Amino acid sequence: MDRIAEFRKWKVQCLSKADLSRKGSVDEDVVELVRFLNMQDQFFTTSSCAGRILLLDGGINGFEVQKQNCCWLLVTHKPCIKDDVIVALKKANGDATLKFEPFVLHVQCRQLQDAQILHSVAIDSGFRNSGITVGKRGKTMLAVRSTHGLEVPLSHKGKLMVTEEYIDFLLNVANQKMEENKKRIERFYNCLQHALERESMTNLHPKIKEKNNSSYTHKKQRNQEKACGQCITKENDKEPENDDDDLGINITIFPEDY
Amino acid sequence: MDRIAEFRKWKVQCLSKADLSRKGSVDEDVVELVRFLNMQDQFFTTSSCAGRILLLDGGINGFEVQKQNCCWLLVTHKPCIKDDVIVALKKANGDATLKFEPFVLHVQCRQLQDAQILHSVAIDSGFRNSGITVGKRGKTMLAVRSTHGLEVPLSHKGKLMVTEEYIDFLLNVANQKMEENKKRIERFYNCLQHALERESMTNLHPKIKEKNNSSYTHKKQRNQEKACGQCITKENDKEPENDDDDLGINITIFPEDY
């Protein structure tokens, strides 16, 4: 079977299977994006989470319980208020931790070139921890990941260690992160549509493609994507992140734009 | 210039440049690993951080200051005690946040196949957010990233919001994460050496390579890597993580081992 036929077979198999997640359905905030990706010949999604606030009851020091087995005291894809967390915390026996987990998306791609386009869109939309995986049999996946997290221990052996005022402040931070995360998803969806339109245009007119292969045009394309993302650089820079630009250590600037 | 010659040129350029990081040198815990990678024809490192505990003084709600410009009240690559943090917090004017940032490494690879080997080693060593980037001109990078984080707001407008007892507990968690992070780096280094030995063996004896291309042998190889990583699965499972296996939402298991 050739690669394209094999990809089609995988896509049919994958999309026809039951959703094995706890929730059993795609999150509201990414339904349209996921549907759009699955409508494209070159992509299909294998997992997604729009972003959520989670309260987990883990083992002592958060180290001794598997995520699959630990108790989810609270999970929400919407902004969260203090009272919800206070009520949920009453059920904690171990070390409860509040987490904000940003948007995550896994997309299987027909070929490396398709993954490269999606990766470029993801990076330009602010999902700077995104990356490609190429399996030994050629399966090519893109994982869209953000650097945007929050992980805060709240109780130890069931005993709350922080004040209600602190929880209130913390949820304010978490809700702002959720808001910013939502903007990035929208930006990703917009940039993706633009990038695929541009790609189909260049496929229809190979001369444009040839022109686009110059590094000058690539930089221009990036800027266009940034423009469609509405001041991405400015918005991204607002938050301190564990990003590639400032590891603080042993950084060597690439000799050329890669 | 062919791809291999171009890669060599990049490597020489990159490694001869000054280290532009704040620290200006490679972290002690990864010096050997970085040196080993740079000795290989197919790799060179462009940035690294062994993992660190950071106390940042950000803008209000941690949103309004760029990481580059925000004040680093404390940074350490060693376990940290409460008093260090208490002293450093006295200098906070905005919203101070304590972070644990795990090992990060960027490696430029000669070709996709080299990045795939490194990626496989990274995943098998517990760095599950690792991913490949392929630039438009063919530059192939692997980013080694962990899911292992901690990000905790401590003060608001310079006012401490938590107790000293809480900071003590938090540092205990952060120090444990640092310890686990160190184990993963060692595992990565061991697995990498094994994988490259195996690769050079199969290059010397193409018949083995042919045999190794069966999916059966690939699974076996993975297990060997896991074995050299000393119970990686068990150790990994200790901590709840935002990993690919349990997004909680819209997960479809791959039809085949990819």
Short mmCIF file of all heavy atoms in Angstrom, two decimals, chain B residues 98-155:
data_model
loop_
_atom_site.label_atom_id
_atom_site.label_comp_id
_atom_site.label_asym_id
_atom_site.label_seq_id
_atom_site.Cartn_x
_atom_site.Cartn_y
_atom_site.Cartn_z
N LEU B 98 7.28 31.38 42.05
CA LEU B 98 8.32 30.36 42.13
C LEU B 98 8.08 29.31 41.05
O LEU B 98 6.96 28.81 40.91
CB LEU B 98 8.32 29.69 43.50
CG LEU B 98 9.52 28.75 43.68
CD1 LEU B 98 10.56 29.38 44.60
CD2 LEU B 98 9.12 27.39 44.20
N LYS B 99 9.11 29.00 40.30
CA LYS B 99 8.98 28.00 39.23
C LYS B 99 10.05 26.93 39.34
O LYS B 99 11.19 27.23 39.72
CB LYS B 99 9.13 28.68 37.85
CG LYS B 99 8.01 29.62 37.49
CD LYS B 99 8.25 30.28 36.16
CE LYS B 99 7.71 29.44 35.01
NZ LYS B 99 7.78 30.15 33.71
N PHE B 100 9.66 25.73 39.01
CA PHE B 100 10.69 24.72 38.72
C PHE B 100 10.65 24.47 37.22
O PHE B 100 9.60 24.13 36.66
CB PHE B 100 10.45 23.41 39.47
CG PHE B 100 11.34 22.31 38.95
CD1 PHE B 100 12.71 22.38 39.16
CD2 PHE B 100 10.84 21.27 38.18
CE1 PHE B 100 13.55 21.41 38.63
CE2 PHE B 100 11.68 20.30 37.65
CZ PHE B 100 13.04 20.36 37.88
N GLU B 101 11.77 24.71 36.57
CA GLU B 101 11.85 24.47 35.13
C GLU B 101 12.76 23.26 34.89
O GLU B 101 13.94 23.30 35.26
CB GLU B 101 12.40 25.70 34.41
CG GLU B 101 11.46 26.88 34.48
CD GLU B 101 11.99 28.12 33.74
OE1 GLU B 101 13.20 28.16 33.43
OE2 GLU B 101 11.19 29.02 33.48
N PRO B 102 12.23 22.21 34.28
CA PRO B 102 13.05 21.00 34.09
C PRO B 102 14.06 21.16 32.95
O PRO B 102 14.10 22.20 32.28
CB PRO B 102 12.00 19.95 33.74
CG PRO B 102 10.87 20.70 33.14
CD PRO B 102 10.88 22.06 33.76
N PHE B 103 14.86 20.14 32.78
CA PHE B 103 15.87 20.05 31.70
C PHE B 103 15.27 20.40 30.33
O PHE B 103 14.21 19.91 29.95
CB PHE B 103 16.36 18.60 31.67
CG PHE B 103 17.32 18.24 30.58
CD1 PHE B 103 18.48 18.98 30.36
CD2 PHE B 103 17.09 17.12 29.78
CE1 PHE B 103 19.37 18.61 29.37
CE2 PHE B 103 17.98 16.74 28.78
CZ PHE B 103 19.12 17.49 28.58
N VAL B 104 15.98 21.26 29.62
CA VAL B 104 15.62 21.57 28.22
C VAL B 104 16.89 21.52 27.40
O VAL B 104 17.94 22.01 27.84
CB VAL B 104 15.02 22.99 28.08
CG1 VAL B 104 14.52 23.22 26.66
CG2 VAL B 104 13.88 23.21 29.05
N LEU B 105 16.81 20.95 26.23
CA LEU B 105 17.99 20.82 25.37
C LEU B 105 17.56 20.95 23.91
O LEU B 105 16.54 20.36 23.50
CB LEU B 105 18.62 19.43 25.60
CG LEU B 105 19.84 19.06 24.77
CD1 LEU B 105 21.07 19.87 25.22
CD2 LEU B 105 20.15 17.56 24.91
N HIS B 106 18.29 21.76 23.17
CA HIS B 106 18.02 21.87 21.73
C HIS B 106 19.22 21.34 20.96
O HIS B 106 20.35 21.79 21.20
CB HIS B 106 17.73 23.32 21.34
CG HIS B 106 16.44 23.80 21.91
ND1 HIS B 106 16.36 24.38 23.15
CD2 HIS B 106 15.17 23.74 21.44
CE1 HIS B 106 15.10 24.68 23.41
NE2 HIS B 106 14.35 24.29 22.39
N VAL B 107 18.96 20.42 20.08
CA VAL B 107 20.04 19.77 19.33
C VAL B 107 19.75 19.87 17.83
O VAL B 107 18.68 19.46 17.38
CB VAL B 107 20.15 18.27 19.71
CG1 VAL B 107 21.36 17.63 19.02
CG2 VAL B 107 20.25 18.08 21.21
N GLN B 108 20.69 20.45 17.09
CA GLN B 108 20.52 20.45 15.64
C GLN B 108 21.04 19.11 15.10
O GLN B 108 22.10 18.63 15.53
CB GLN B 108 21.22 21.64 14.99
CG GLN B 108 20.78 21.82 13.55
CD GLN B 108 21.21 23.15 12.95
OE1 GLN B 108 21.28 24.15 13.66
NE2 GLN B 108 21.46 23.15 11.66
N CYS B 109 20.29 18.52 14.18
CA CYS B 109 20.61 17.17 13.69
C CYS B 109 20.91 17.22 12.19
O CYS B 109 20.31 17.99 11.45
CB CYS B 109 19.43 16.23 13.95
SG CYS B 109 18.87 16.26 15.66
N ARG B 110 21.82 16.35 11.77
CA ARG B 110 22.25 16.35 10.37
C ARG B 110 21.11 16.02 9.44
O ARG B 110 20.93 16.63 8.41
CB ARG B 110 23.39 15.34 10.21
CG ARG B 110 24.16 15.48 8.91
CD ARG B 110 25.39 14.59 8.93
NE ARG B 110 25.06 13.23 9.40
CZ ARG B 110 25.96 12.30 9.73
NH1 ARG B 110 27.25 12.59 9.64
NH2 ARG B 110 25.59 11.12 10.16
N GLN B 111 20.32 15.03 9.83
CA GLN B 111 19.15 14.69 9.01
C GLN B 111 18.04 14.15 9.89
O GLN B 111 18.23 13.86 11.07
CB GLN B 111 19.52 13.71 7.91
CG GLN B 111 20.24 12.46 8.39
CD GLN B 111 20.76 11.63 7.24
OE1 GLN B 111 20.36 11.84 6.10
NE2 GLN B 111 21.63 10.69 7.53
N LEU B 112 16.85 14.01 9.27
CA LEU B 112 15.66 13.63 10.03
C LEU B 112 15.87 12.34 10.81
O LEU B 112 15.45 12.21 11.96
CB LEU B 112 14.46 13.50 9.07
CG LEU B 112 13.12 13.24 9.74
CD1 LEU B 112 12.72 14.39 10.66
CD2 LEU B 112 12.02 13.01 8.71
N GLN B 113 16.54 11.39 10.18
CA GLN B 113 16.77 10.08 10.82
C GLN B 113 17.55 10.22 12.15
O GLN B 113 17.25 9.53 13.12
CB GLN B 113 17.57 9.21 9.85
CG GLN B 113 17.50 7.73 10.13
CD GLN B 113 18.57 6.98 9.35
OE1 GLN B 113 18.95 7.42 8.26
NE2 GLN B 113 19.04 5.88 9.88
N ASP B 114 18.50 11.14 12.18
CA ASP B 114 19.26 11.38 13.42
C ASP B 114 18.35 11.97 14.49
O ASP B 114 18.44 11.60 15.67
CB ASP B 114 20.44 12.32 13.15
CG ASP B 114 21.37 11.81 12.07
OD1 ASP B 114 21.74 10.62 12.14
OD2 ASP B 114 21.69 12.55 11.13
N ALA B 115 17.47 12.89 14.07
CA ALA B 115 16.53 13.50 15.02
C ALA B 115 15.57 12.44 15.57
O ALA B 115 15.21 12.47 16.74
CB ALA B 115 15.76 14.62 14.35
N GLN B 116 15.18 11.50 14.71
CA GLN B 116 14.26 10.43 15.14
C GLN B 116 14.88 9.57 16.24
O GLN B 116 14.21 9.22 17.21
CB GLN B 116 13.87 9.55 13.95
CG GLN B 116 12.79 10.15 13.08
CD GLN B 116 12.54 9.26 11.86
OE1 GLN B 116 13.17 9.45 10.82
NE2 GLN B 116 11.65 8.32 11.97
N ILE B 117 16.16 9.23 16.06
CA ILE B 117 16.84 8.41 17.08
C ILE B 117 16.88 9.17 18.41
O ILE B 117 16.52 8.64 19.46
CB ILE B 117 18.29 8.06 16.62
CG1 ILE B 117 18.23 7.10 15.42
CG2 ILE B 117 19.10 7.45 17.76
CD1 ILE B 117 19.55 6.91 14.71
N LEU B 118 17.28 10.44 18.33
CA LEU B 118 17.38 11.28 19.54
C LEU B 118 16.00 11.45 20.19
O LEU B 118 15.88 11.42 21.42
CB LEU B 118 17.95 12.63 19.14
CG LEU B 118 18.79 13.39 20.16
CD1 LEU B 118 19.93 12.55 20.67
CD2 LEU B 118 19.32 14.69 19.55
N HIS B 119 14.98 11.62 19.36
CA HIS B 119 13.61 11.80 19.86
C HIS B 119 13.15 10.55 20.62
O HIS B 119 12.57 10.63 21.70
CB HIS B 119 12.67 12.08 18.68
CG HIS B 119 11.34 12.60 19.10
ND1 HIS B 119 10.26 12.64 18.26
CD2 HIS B 119 10.89 13.09 20.28
CE1 HIS B 119 9.22 13.14 18.91
NE2 HIS B 119 9.57 13.42 20.12
N SER B 120 13.44 9.42 20.03
CA SER B 120 13.07 8.15 20.64
C SER B 120 13.75 7.98 22.01
O SER B 120 13.12 7.59 22.99
CB SER B 120 13.47 7.03 19.66
OG SER B 120 13.07 5.81 20.14
N VAL B 121 15.03 8.34 22.06
CA VAL B 121 15.78 8.27 23.32
C VAL B 121 15.15 9.21 24.35
O VAL B 121 14.96 8.85 25.52
CB VAL B 121 17.27 8.64 23.09
CG1 VAL B 121 18.00 8.88 24.40
CG2 VAL B 121 17.98 7.56 22.28
N ALA B 122 14.78 10.41 23.91
CA ALA B 122 14.19 11.40 24.82
C ALA B 122 12.87 10.91 25.40
O ALA B 122 12.63 10.98 26.61
CB ALA B 122 14.00 12.73 24.09
N ILE B 123 12.02 10.39 24.55
CA ILE B 123 10.70 9.91 25.00
C ILE B 123 10.89 8.75 25.98
O ILE B 123 10.29 8.72 27.05
CB ILE B 123 9.83 9.46 23.79
CG1 ILE B 123 9.58 10.63 22.81
CG2 ILE B 123 8.51 8.82 24.25
CD1 ILE B 123 8.69 11.72 23.31
N ASP B 124 11.77 7.82 25.60
CA ASP B 124 12.00 6.65 26.45
C ASP B 124 12.66 7.01 27.78
O ASP B 124 12.60 6.22 28.73
CB ASP B 124 12.84 5.60 25.71
CG ASP B 124 12.06 4.92 24.60
OD1 ASP B 124 10.82 5.00 24.63
OD2 ASP B 124 12.67 4.34 23.69
N SER B 125 13.30 8.17 27.85
CA SER B 125 13.92 8.59 29.11
C SER B 125 12.97 9.42 29.96
O SER B 125 13.34 9.88 31.04
CB SER B 125 15.18 9.42 28.83
OG SER B 125 16.00 8.77 27.91
N GLY B 126 11.76 9.64 29.48
CA GLY B 126 10.77 10.36 30.28
C GLY B 126 10.52 11.79 29.83
O GLY B 126 9.70 12.49 30.43
N PHE B 127 11.19 12.25 28.76
CA PHE B 127 10.99 13.63 28.28
C PHE B 127 9.90 13.63 27.21
O PHE B 127 10.17 13.71 26.01
CB PHE B 127 12.32 14.22 27.78
CG PHE B 127 13.34 14.34 28.87
CD1 PHE B 127 14.40 13.45 28.96
CD2 PHE B 127 13.20 15.32 29.85
CE1 PHE B 127 15.32 13.55 29.99
CE2 PHE B 127 14.12 15.42 30.89
CZ PHE B 127 15.18 14.53 30.96
N ARG B 128 8.68 13.54 27.70
CA ARG B 128 7.56 13.24 26.80
C ARG B 128 7.05 14.42 25.98
O ARG B 128 6.24 14.22 25.09
CB ARG B 128 6.43 12.63 27.61
CG ARG B 128 6.85 11.26 28.15
CD ARG B 128 5.68 10.46 28.59
NE ARG B 128 5.36 10.75 29.97
CZ ARG B 128 4.41 10.13 30.64
NH1 ARG B 128 3.68 9.20 30.04
NH2 ARG B 128 4.16 10.40 31.90
N ASN B 129 7.51 15.63 26.29
CA ASN B 129 7.09 16.77 25.46
C ASN B 129 8.15 17.13 24.41
O ASN B 129 8.11 18.22 23.85
CB ASN B 129 6.78 17.99 26.34
CG ASN B 129 5.37 17.92 26.91
OD1 ASN B 129 4.62 17.00 26.60
ND2 ASN B 129 5.02 18.87 27.75
N SER B 130 9.06 16.21 24.16
CA SER B 130 10.09 16.46 23.16
C SER B 130 9.49 16.46 21.76
O SER B 130 8.46 15.82 21.53
CB SER B 130 11.17 15.37 23.25
OG SER B 130 11.72 15.36 24.55
N GLY B 131 10.12 17.17 20.85
CA GLY B 131 9.59 17.19 19.48
C GLY B 131 10.61 17.71 18.49
O GLY B 131 11.58 18.38 18.85
N ILE B 132 10.37 17.36 17.23
CA ILE B 132 11.26 17.73 16.14
C ILE B 132 10.73 18.99 15.45
O ILE B 132 9.53 19.19 15.35
CB ILE B 132 11.35 16.56 15.12
CG1 ILE B 132 11.91 15.30 15.79
CG2 ILE B 132 12.17 16.95 13.90
CD1 ILE B 132 11.78 14.02 14.94
N THR B 133 11.64 19.83 15.00
CA THR B 133 11.29 20.97 14.15
C THR B 133 12.06 20.83 12.85
O THR B 133 13.27 20.59 12.89
CB THR B 133 11.70 22.30 14.83
OG1 THR B 133 11.07 22.38 16.10
CG2 THR B 133 11.32 23.49 13.99
N VAL B 134 11.36 20.93 11.73
CA VAL B 134 12.06 20.91 10.45
C VAL B 134 11.82 22.25 9.77
O VAL B 134 10.69 22.60 9.44
CB VAL B 134 11.58 19.75 9.55
CG1 VAL B 134 12.38 19.72 8.25
CG2 VAL B 134 11.69 18.41 10.28
N GLY B 135 12.86 23.04 9.64
CA GLY B 135 12.75 24.36 9.02
C GLY B 135 12.55 24.24 7.52
O GLY B 135 12.73 23.15 6.94
N LYS B 136 12.19 25.34 6.90
CA LYS B 136 11.89 25.28 5.46
C LYS B 136 13.13 24.99 4.63
O LYS B 136 13.04 24.42 3.56
CB LYS B 136 11.20 26.57 5.03
CG LYS B 136 9.74 26.54 5.46
CD LYS B 136 9.02 27.84 5.23
CE LYS B 136 7.59 27.67 5.77
NZ LYS B 136 6.99 28.94 6.12
N ARG B 137 14.30 25.38 5.16
CA ARG B 137 15.52 25.07 4.42
C ARG B 137 16.12 23.74 4.88
O ARG B 137 17.25 23.42 4.53
CB ARG B 137 16.53 26.20 4.58
CG ARG B 137 16.02 27.52 3.95
CD ARG B 137 17.08 28.59 4.02
NE ARG B 137 18.38 28.08 3.59
CZ ARG B 137 19.54 28.53 4.05
NH1 ARG B 137 19.57 29.45 4.96
NH2 ARG B 137 20.67 28.02 3.60
N GLY B 138 15.35 22.98 5.65
CA GLY B 138 15.79 21.63 6.00
C GLY B 138 16.51 21.53 7.33
O GLY B 138 16.92 20.45 7.74
N LYS B 139 16.68 22.66 8.04
CA LYS B 139 17.32 22.57 9.35
C LYS B 139 16.47 21.73 10.27
O LYS B 139 15.28 21.99 10.43
CB LYS B 139 17.49 23.96 9.96
CG LYS B 139 18.80 24.58 9.61
CD LYS B 139 19.12 25.76 10.51
CE LYS B 139 20.33 26.47 9.93
NZ LYS B 139 20.67 27.68 10.68
N THR B 140 17.07 20.72 10.85
CA THR B 140 16.32 19.77 11.68
C THR B 140 16.80 19.86 13.12
O THR B 140 17.98 19.68 13.40
CB THR B 140 16.52 18.35 11.11
OG1 THR B 140 16.14 18.38 9.72
CG2 THR B 140 15.67 17.35 11.84
N MET B 141 15.87 20.18 13.98
CA MET B 141 16.20 20.38 15.40
C MET B 141 15.40 19.40 16.24
O MET B 141 14.26 19.09 15.92
CB MET B 141 15.72 21.77 15.85
CG MET B 141 16.39 22.95 15.24
SD MET B 141 18.06 23.16 15.88
CE MET B 141 17.73 23.28 17.64
N LEU B 142 16.01 18.93 17.32
CA LEU B 142 15.21 18.22 18.32
C LEU B 142 15.22 19.05 19.60
O LEU B 142 16.28 19.48 20.08
CB LEU B 142 15.76 16.82 18.62
CG LEU B 142 14.86 16.15 19.69
CD1 LEU B 142 13.59 15.61 19.06
CD2 LEU B 142 15.58 15.12 20.46
N ALA B 143 14.03 19.25 20.16
CA ALA B 143 13.91 19.90 21.47
C ALA B 143 13.55 18.82 22.47
O ALA B 143 12.56 18.11 22.30
CB ALA B 143 12.84 20.98 21.43
N VAL B 144 14.39 18.67 23.50
CA VAL B 144 14.10 17.72 24.58
C VAL B 144 13.38 18.50 25.68
O VAL B 144 13.91 19.47 26.21
CB VAL B 144 15.40 17.10 25.15
CG1 VAL B 144 15.08 16.11 26.26
CG2 VAL B 144 16.18 16.41 24.03
N ARG B 145 12.15 18.07 25.96
CA ARG B 145 11.33 18.80 26.95
C ARG B 145 10.59 17.82 27.85
O ARG B 145 10.14 16.77 27.41
CB ARG B 145 10.26 19.65 26.26
CG ARG B 145 10.74 20.82 25.48
CD ARG B 145 9.54 21.64 25.02
NE ARG B 145 9.81 22.29 23.76
CZ ARG B 145 9.43 21.84 22.58
NH1 ARG B 145 8.72 20.75 22.49
NH2 ARG B 145 9.77 22.50 21.48
N SER B 146 10.40 18.24 29.08
CA SER B 146 9.70 17.43 30.06
C SER B 146 8.31 17.99 30.32
O SER B 146 8.03 19.13 29.98
CB SER B 146 10.53 17.47 31.34
OG SER B 146 9.92 16.76 32.36
N THR B 147 7.48 17.19 30.94
CA THR B 147 6.15 17.66 31.35
C THR B 147 6.19 18.11 32.82
O THR B 147 5.20 18.58 33.36
CB THR B 147 5.14 16.51 31.26
OG1 THR B 147 5.67 15.40 31.98
CG2 THR B 147 4.88 16.12 29.84
N HIS B 148 7.32 17.97 33.39
CA HIS B 148 7.62 18.07 34.80
C HIS B 148 7.79 19.52 35.27
O HIS B 148 8.90 20.04 35.31
CB HIS B 148 8.99 17.36 34.94
CG HIS B 148 9.12 16.51 36.13
ND1 HIS B 148 10.13 15.63 36.24
CD2 HIS B 148 8.42 16.42 37.25
CE1 HIS B 148 10.04 15.00 37.37
NE2 HIS B 148 8.99 15.48 38.01
N GLY B 149 6.72 20.22 35.66
CA GLY B 149 6.86 21.62 36.03
C GLY B 149 6.24 21.97 37.37
O GLY B 149 5.67 21.12 38.07
N LEU B 150 6.40 23.21 37.74
CA LEU B 150 5.81 23.75 38.97
C LEU B 150 5.80 25.26 38.77
O LEU B 150 6.80 25.83 38.34
CB LEU B 150 6.70 23.37 40.16
CG LEU B 150 6.13 23.56 41.56
CD1 LEU B 150 5.03 22.53 41.84
CD2 LEU B 150 7.24 23.40 42.61
N GLU B 151 4.68 25.88 39.01
CA GLU B 151 4.61 27.34 38.84
C GLU B 151 3.64 27.89 39.86
O GLU B 151 2.44 27.65 39.77
CB GLU B 151 4.15 27.68 37.41
CG GLU B 151 4.14 29.16 37.16
CD GLU B 151 3.93 29.54 35.71
OE1 GLU B 151 4.16 28.71 34.81
OE2 GLU B 151 3.53 30.69 35.48
N VAL B 152 4.16 28.57 40.85
CA VAL B 152 3.36 28.95 42.02
C VAL B 152 3.49 30.44 42.34
O VAL B 152 4.58 30.89 42.74
CB VAL B 152 3.80 28.12 43.26
CG1 VAL B 152 2.92 28.44 44.45
CG2 VAL B 152 3.77 26.63 42.95
N PRO B 153 2.41 31.20 42.19
CA PRO B 153 2.46 32.60 42.61
C PRO B 153 2.64 32.68 44.12
O PRO B 153 1.99 31.92 44.86
CB PRO B 153 1.07 33.13 42.23
CG PRO B 153 0.50 32.14 41.27
CD PRO B 153 1.10 30.83 41.65
N LEU B 154 3.54 33.57 44.58
CA LEU B 154 3.81 33.67 46.02
C LEU B 154 3.43 35.02 46.61
O LEU B 154 3.01 35.11 47.76
CB LEU B 154 5.29 33.39 46.31
CG LEU B 154 5.79 31.96 46.11
CD1 LEU B 154 7.24 31.86 46.55
CD2 LEU B 154 4.93 30.96 46.91
N SER B 155 3.62 36.09 45.81
CA SER B 155 3.28 37.40 46.36
C SER B 155 2.52 38.23 45.33
O SER B 155 2.61 37.99 44.13
CB SER B 155 4.55 38.12 46.82
OG SER B 155 5.34 38.47 45.71
#
